[in-house]
Amino acid sequence: MAGEIKPIKPNGLQRLLHRIVSIRPLVTFFATHMHRIDSYVLKITGGKYALSEIAGWTIIQLTTTGAKTWQERTMPLLAGVDVNKIALIASSFGRKHNPGWYYNLKAHPACQVAYKGISLPYVAREVVGDEYDRYWRLVASNYVGYEKYKILAAHRHIPVMVLEPKM
């Protein structure tokens, strides 16, 4: 199917890159700059490529409706793929607060996901319990930084959102 999102298994070099970018001093740089870099690369490639994909990550463009502003917001995010569902970890790089996109999805679950230039509608829901554990493992297996972010954000629960195709 055109635009289908397939899971990527990182190779040895990509796993090394994951470890490097999750080093605490570098987290601040990536937390504040990587989404801007990916947004720019996605823009100039017509939504087909993101720089972060070099690390073997599945990068989607998530468009949400602002929780308070009702304005559309688009953010490139690392995603885990489970058949037709997309899992997102709201780690915010281990910072104090959940990312804005999480609050947007809680207020307005309908969203758009663009991948490789194809955009499709999805509906988001927060997962708990066994489902939380399963999706956490799915996404964290593709990026070791999430386990470090869990330590950095020990003061809060890191939510996991699952996006399902809108019927």
Side-chain angles (χ1 to χ4, degrees):
M1 165 174 115
E4 182 177 351
I5 303 172
K6 295 182 180 178
I8 300 170
K9 270 298 207 195
N11 62 34
L13 177 61
Q14 291 166 333
R15 286 191 303 274
L16 176 62
L17 284 171
H18 298 185
R19 286 187 179 87
I20 291 169
V21 300
S22 64
I23 295 171
R24 191 172 187 128
L26 296 178
V27 166
T28 303
F29 172 80
F30 289 107
T32 56
H33 299 298
M34 201 62 212
H35 69 279
R36 289 185 182 105
I37 295 167
D38 275 339
S39 291
Y40 178 74
V41 172
L42 284 160
K43 185 176 180 177
I44 64 172
T45 64
K48 293 187 177 167
Y49 303 102
L51 185 62
S52 296
E53 291 173 328
I54 292 171
W57 299 323
T58 300
I59 303 298
I60 64 162
Q61 291 180 86
L62 175 69
T63 301
T64 62
T65 301
K68 296 178 185 175
T69 66
W70 287 81
Q71 293 180 349
E72 285 194 347
R73 308 276 187 215
T74 301
M75 173 72 66
L77 296 173
L78 191 154
V81 180
D82 181 26
V83 188
N84 64 343
K85 297 178 185 175
I86 300 169
L88 304 171
I89 295 180
S91 68
S92 194
F93 297 90
R95 294 183 287 189
K96 264 187 180 175
H97 304 288
N98 294 324
W101 60 261
Y102 165 76
Y103 298 108
N104 293 348
L105 288 176
K106 290 294 284 182
H108 309 288
C111 59
Q112 285 288 124
V113 172
Y115 180 71
K116 300 294 181 196
I118 305 293
S119 184
L120 298 170
Y122 282 80
V123 177
R125 65 184 175 85
E126 187 168 352
V127 293
V128 297
D130 291 341
E131 199 175 18
Y132 177 96
D133 295 338
R134 185 166 89 73
Y135 283 110
W136 177 277
R137 284 191 307 273
L138 171 72
V139 182
S141 70
N142 199 20
Y143 175 52
V144 298
Y146 284 120
E147 293 302 329
K148 292 182 181 184
Y149 300 156
K150 192 182 270 189
I151 295 165
L152 291 173
H155 58 281
R156 69 176 173 93
H157 168 74
I158 297 177
V160 173
M161 300 296 284
V162 170
L163 311 180
E164 298 173 303
K166 190 172 184 179
M167 299 295 167

